[in-house]
Amino acid sequence: AQSVTQLGSHVSVSEGALVLLRCNYSSSVPPYLFWYVQYPNQGLQLLLKYTTGATLVKGINGFEAEFKKSETSFHLTKPSAHMSDAAEYFCAVSSDSGTYKYIFGTGTRLKVLA
Amino acid sequence: DADVTQTPRNRITKTGKRIMLECSQTKGHDRMYWYRQDPGLGLQLIYYSFDVKDINKGEISDGYSVSRQAQAKFSLSLESAIPNQTALYFCATSSGASGELFFGEGSRLTVL
């Protein structure tokens, strides 16, 4: 079975500061990993994904994440937070094994302080 | 027009009523999903379908049913709504396990 753990349901950073949102996964098969962002009253949209190949993945809006198999992690970072980054962020895992089906973490709400 | 369209966007109903949430997509994807979002719980999978003749239960299918009327249409029904089904419901599509999910804008359901 697969699972995702996001540490910290709420994270606050100052504008211009580093953003770090943590995601750890559990998977017995090679995972596909995703970060999604949800703005108020909207659906989720993809920030970035890891499938195979390069472990450092760059996404939209200056975000990036690094797949670390030894740590079973896929943390999301952005060097400098912007007010428009305030949203809820979800990490998700899927795989080619079985009939899958994406599993989501419980989300991290990012607040950006002026 | 949105690639994944959900109707209605908002619905208030009473306990015991039958409710249908509809989803249509223009992505041409075979895979469609229904998720439920509750604060602090993330997204939980209700049902998913990999083609018109393939319907699978997700983590929280009790109290829900679905119908895949066509490749582009996937409906979620609550046969007899109860208050703890008050939530935000999302339909999504994908081309495969390594592909991203494309979400609708959500249907907010309130059961009184």
Side-chain angles (χ1 to χ4, degrees), chain B residues 34-38 42-46 60 64 83-90:
Chain B
W34 275 104
Y35 284 92
R36 168 178 170 157
Q37 184 180 24
D38 297 279
L43 278 77
Q44 296 173 279
L45 183 62
I46 307 173
I60 57 164
Y64 301 94
N84 76 359
Q85 291 177 313
T86 293
L88 184 57
Y89 292 85
F90 284 104

Side-chain angles (χ1 to χ4, degrees), chain A residues 49-68:
Chain A
K49 68 177 182 180
Y50 169 79
T51 53
T52 59
T55 56
L56 181 61
V57 180
K58 295 186 183 298
I60 61 172
N61 301 335
F63 285 93
E64 63 183 36
E66 186 170 10
F67 169 59
K68 293 187 176 181

Side-chain angles (χ1 to χ4, degrees), chain B residues 7 19-24 32 34 47 55 65-70 72-78 91:
Chain B
T7 57
I19 296 297
M20 178 180 286
L21 306 180
E22 298 184 326
C23 176
S24 63
M32 298 188 73
W34 275 104
Y47 271 95
I55 302 290
S65 63
V66 291
S67 173
R68 185 82 183 266
Q69 301 95 324
K73 296 184 181 296
F74 192 37
S75 299
L76 176 71
S77 293
L78 289 68
C91 176

Side-chain angles (χ1 to χ4, degrees), chain A residues 32 34 36 38 41-46 49 51 88 90 94-96 98-107, chain B residues 9 31 33 35 37 40-43 45 48 50 59 88 90 94 96-101 103-105 108:
Chain A
Y32 300 131
F34 307 81
Y36 290 86
Q38 184 182 30
N41 300 314
Q42 294 186 24
L44 284 72
Q45 57 184 279
L46 183 72
K49 68 177 182 180
T51 53
E88 190 156 22
F90 293 92
S94 74
S95 75
D96 278 329
T99 58
Y100 247 62
K101 167 174 168 178
Y102 299 75
I103 300 297
F104 284 81
T106 53
Chain B
R9 293 292 312 281
R31 301 184 179 202
Y33 308 77
Y35 284 92
Q37 184 180 24
L41 295 180
L43 278 77
L45 183 62
Y48 60 106
F50 285 178
E59 305 160 282
L88 184 57
F90 284 104
S94 79
S98 64
E100 67 178 281
L101 283 168
F103 285 86
E105 294 192 334
R108 186 170 297 280

Side-chain angles (χ1 to χ4, degrees), chain B residues 10-20 78 80-83 85-86 108-112:
Chain B
N10 289 282
R11 181 73 181 269
I12 300 173
T13 191
K14 295 182 178 180
T15 296
K17 294 292 188 181
R18 183 177 187 273
I19 296 297
M20 178 180 286
L78 289 68
S80 179
I82 56 177
Q85 291 177 313
T86 293
R108 186 170 297 280
L109 176 65
T110 302
V111 183
L112 303 176

Side-chain angles (χ1 to χ4, degrees), chain A residues 5-78:
Chain A
T5 302
Q6 290 184 241
L7 294 177
S9 59
H10 292 81
V11 170
S12 294
V13 300
S14 299
E15 191 174 20
L18 172 71
V19 176
L20 171 60
L21 304 182
R22 299 179 186 275
C23 172
N24 288 89
Y25 70 92
S26 173
S27 179
S28 59
V29 296
Y32 300 131
L33 295 160
F34 307 81
W35 275 101
Y36 290 86
V37 61
Q38 184 182 30
Y39 298 105
N41 300 314
Q42 294 186 24
L44 284 72
Q45 57 184 279
L46 183 72
L47 273 179
L48 49 79
K49 68 177 182 180
Y50 169 79
T51 53
T52 59
T55 56
L56 181 61
V57 180
K58 295 186 183 298
I60 61 172
N61 301 335
F63 285 93
E64 63 183 36
E66 186 170 10
F67 169 59
K68 293 187 176 181
K69 184 178 179 179
S70 61
E71 298 178 8
T72 61
S73 69
F74 191 57
H75 301 330
L76 182 70
T77 61
K78 181 175 180 177

